[in-house]
Amino acid sequence: MKASDLSIQIPKKYWFAGLAAILVISVGGALALDSFLPLLLPGAVLFVAWAVLDTPAIYTLYFALLPFSVETYFSNGLGTDLPTEPIMLGLTALTVIYLVRNIQNISGWIIAHPINLALLLHLTWLAFATVYSVDTLISFKFLLAKSWYVISLFVLSWLLIDTPEKLKRIIKIYLIALLVVVVYALVNHALDGFTFVASNFVMAPFYRNHVNYGAALTIAIPFLWFFFTSENGGRWLWMLYFLILMVAVYFAYLRAAYVAMVAIFGTYYIVRWRLMRPVLVLSLIVAVFGVLQIIEENRYLELAPDYEKTIAHKEFDDLLSATAKGEDISTMERIYRWVAGYQMIREKTWLGFGPGTFYENYKPYTVKSFETYVSDNPEKSGIHSYYLMTLVEQGIPGLVVFLILVITVLVYGEGLYHRLDDPVKKRWVLALLMCYVGIAVFQIINDLVETDKIGTFFFLCMAVLSRWDSDLRLVGLPSSDKASEKP
């Protein structure tokens, strides 16, 4: 499939009349309303026209703007990420139009790829949990938002990125844009003496806090590794960027980032030595055993903090020490919400409370002995564990299905790496798996999949691995089948 197939062809005879009409309407509207806002209409229409005529270019633009997106909240309480979420919605609409127009060319064999099926199963259960939600409206909004993430970032990426060259282009553009934000944040941080307190706002307004910022930096490391090991020219520039990024990760003062980096570099050897399956089995055993040990006979109650000693710390060394003693407010606030989540799971084990409903329902299930100074939660944040959030909101089947999705991506990604002959493509697959593992590790104590900065790469990695694996499997089909199977 050619990238141009995604674009919609509009006869030229309609362009002049259409643009002239828009110009008249915008000028007339500006005069009638005594406002300059209608004058923005031609620009908006031209942008939409550009998207319709060249969808791949808008897709690339999305990655160029991603590091600069800003969370914006309106007076009615609604929020969005500007400008990325409107672009995402537009790409979703264009992708849907393309799929409808070409439904006869969409191969059932391609849809049946295990990664695609696992994602479809995840969305199906999400929809099922929405029907039985305690607040159907909130859950439906969550499902709707999830759908445009999947369509614009998974489906469209699957359609567009069929070669390493295309992936290289969008990742390089993203990394260049990210570098601007990194330098901006480092300069701001340097002016503040690289203090731990300042690490939470020096990246504003582009990132909400040091968690989102540190996560974005960490999952970019595998891509920098790729360029450093693959580019013949300018290798020293990529090495310099890599060092700058490592410094930025350090000064993000994010414990999860340090753990994720270990996992990312460990993935390099796990994939190359074909250890993904045993590592995943061992990880699941350790996770299940650890959870059972904590909840058995309510042992988790022994983790309750000392309210007076559990405070926010201004030095990173103090934070690490306080974490070990159970006196760090961010860690103990997580446990406060996890305990509430456990109580919620006991009440709605199989269907959960419904997607997106944790915040509206967790307060009655909290245990007062775990309360901290920030338990009033004015920022309306979630449970701070994507896996636990999935369990609370979608029940045990929802968590199982999500874990199946993650495991399927990792197992088939490793298999793809060892079946490829192209060394460049192999390194890209390895970078994608390293990035995906980094995101999976972050989700243990964070919930970032539904954020544009992290969710983009969660779905991008899955899409590219699925597409390239599908293409490789297609090579093995009889020649008479290939024409009908190729999208």
Side-chain angles (χ1 to χ4, degrees), residues 177-351:
L178 180 64
L179 180 60
V180 176
V181 177
V182 169
V183 172
Y184 163 82
L186 283 174
V187 170
N188 283 343
H189 210 172
L191 295 174
D192 216 300
F194 289 108
T195 62
F196 174 58
V197 173
S199 69
N200 217 33
F201 57 78
V202 292
M203 71 295 300
F206 306 115
Y207 291 83
R208 176 189 293 185
N209 51 42
H210 76 138
V211 175
N212 299 59
Y213 175 64
L217 300 183
T218 305
I219 65 174
I221 288 173
F223 300 125
L224 284 174
W225 165 82
F226 170 85
F227 283 111
F228 173 67
T229 58
S230 303
E231 294 285 276
N232 294 324
R235 178 174 290 189
W236 69 273
L237 289 173
W238 289 110
M239 185 60 186
L240 177 61
Y241 189 172
F242 179 84
L243 293 175
I244 292 173
L245 198 68
M246 293 297 288
V247 170
V249 170
Y250 174 78
F251 284 119
Y253 296 125
L254 185 62
R255 292 159 292 180
Y258 305 154
V259 175
M261 277 201 298
V262 173
I264 284 171
F265 290 120
T267 302
Y268 174 87
Y269 297 101
I270 290 170
V271 173
R272 295 196 64 179
W273 296 342
R274 299 177 185 266
L275 295 174
M276 187 60 73
R277 285 177 175 84
V279 167
L280 287 172
V281 170
L282 180 61
S283 299
L284 286 173
I285 291 173
V286 170
V288 171
F289 179 77
V291 170
L292 290 177
Q293 286 296 305
I294 291 174
I295 66 176
E296 186 179 4
E297 298 180 356
N298 293 331
R299 286 183 184 147
Y300 67 90
L301 295 174
E302 299 172 8
L303 300 174
D306 183 330
Y307 185 85
E308 297 299 328
K309 292 183 179 180
T310 305
I311 59 174
H313 295 271
K314 296 184 178 181
E315 298 294 336
F316 189 58
D317 291 343
D318 294 340
L319 174 66
L320 296 177
S321 176
T323 301
K325 297 176 182 177
E327 296 176 355
D328 164 47
I329 197 166
S330 65
T331 302
M332 299 316 297
E333 178 60 22
R334 278 180 167 83
I335 295 177
Y336 172 72
R337 299 182 196 181
W338 294 350
V339 170
Y342 171 62
Q343 304 296 334
M344 296 170 76
I345 293 164
R346 293 176 65 181
E347 180 169 320
K348 292 185 176 292
T349 306
W350 297 104
L351 292 176

Side-chain angles (χ1 to χ4, degrees), residues 23 26-31 35-44:
L23 184 61
S26 62
V27 172
L31 293 173
S35 170
F36 73 92
L37 291 177
L39 295 176
L40 299 177
L41 181 62

Side-chain angles (χ1 to χ4, degrees), residues 160-179:
L160 286 177
I161 307 178
D162 55 346
T163 65
E165 290 73 24
K166 293 177 182 177
L167 179 61
K168 176 181 177 180
R169 180 167 178 256
I170 65 165
I171 294 298
K172 182 176 285 189
I173 288 172
Y174 169 77
L175 289 176
I176 293 171
L178 180 64
L179 180 60

Side-chain angles (χ1 to χ4, degrees), residues 420-484:
L420 285 169
D421 295 322
D422 183 351
V424 174
K425 214 168 188 177
K426 285 173 74 78
R427 281 196 293 272
W428 268 122
V429 168
L430 195 49
L432 291 167
L433 287 169
M434 291 162 72
C435 176
Y436 194 79
V437 167
I439 296 172
V441 169
F442 263 102
Q443 301 321 302
I444 296 174
I445 59 171
N446 294 286
D447 33 31
L448 301 172
V449 171
E450 273 77 38
T451 62
D452 62 338
K453 307 290 177 91
I454 308 301
T456 293
F457 293 97
F458 181 78
F459 292 107
L460 175 71
C461 292
M462 290 197 300
V464 177
L465 292 172
S466 170
R467 175 62 192 262
W468 290 1
D469 192 50
S470 296
D471 287 349
L472 190 63
R473 290 168 185 270
L474 192 63
V475 173
L477 291 175
S479 57
S480 60
D481 295 336
K482 290 180 182 178
S484 61

Side-chain angles (χ1 to χ4, degrees), residues 59 62-63 66 115-116 118-120 122-123 126 142 146 149-150 152-155 157-158 171 174 215-216 219-220 223 386-387 389-390 398-399 401-410 431-444 446-466:
Y59 176 82
Y62 171 85
F63 282 88
L66 184 59
I115 293 177
N116 300 2
L119 180 58
L120 183 60
H122 171 57
L123 291 175
L126 200 64
F142 183 94
K146 186 86 168 189
Y149 267 79
V150 171
S152 64
L153 299 175
F154 179 85
V155 177
S157 297
W158 199 100
I171 294 298
Y174 169 77
I219 65 174
F223 300 125
Y386 197 81
Y387 304 104
M389 182 188 76
T390 302
L399 176 61
V401 167
F402 183 73
L403 290 176
I404 288 173
L405 172 61
V406 173
I407 291 169
T408 301
V409 173
L410 296 176
L432 291 167
L433 287 169
M434 291 162 72
C435 176
Y436 194 79
V437 167
I439 296 172
V441 169
F442 263 102
Q443 301 321 302
I444 296 174
N446 294 286
D447 33 31
L448 301 172
V449 171
E450 273 77 38
T451 62
D452 62 338
K453 307 290 177 91
I454 308 301
T456 293
F457 293 97
F458 181 78
F459 292 107
L460 175 71
C461 292
M462 290 197 300
V464 177
L465 292 172
S466 170

Side-chain angles (χ1 to χ4, degrees), residues 373-392:
Y373 284 108
V374 295
S375 292
D376 55 341
N377 193 9
E379 72 279 9
K380 299 182 179 182
S381 56
I383 199 170
H384 292 307
S385 171
Y386 197 81
Y387 304 104
L388 184 55
M389 182 188 76
T390 302
L391 184 57
V392 170

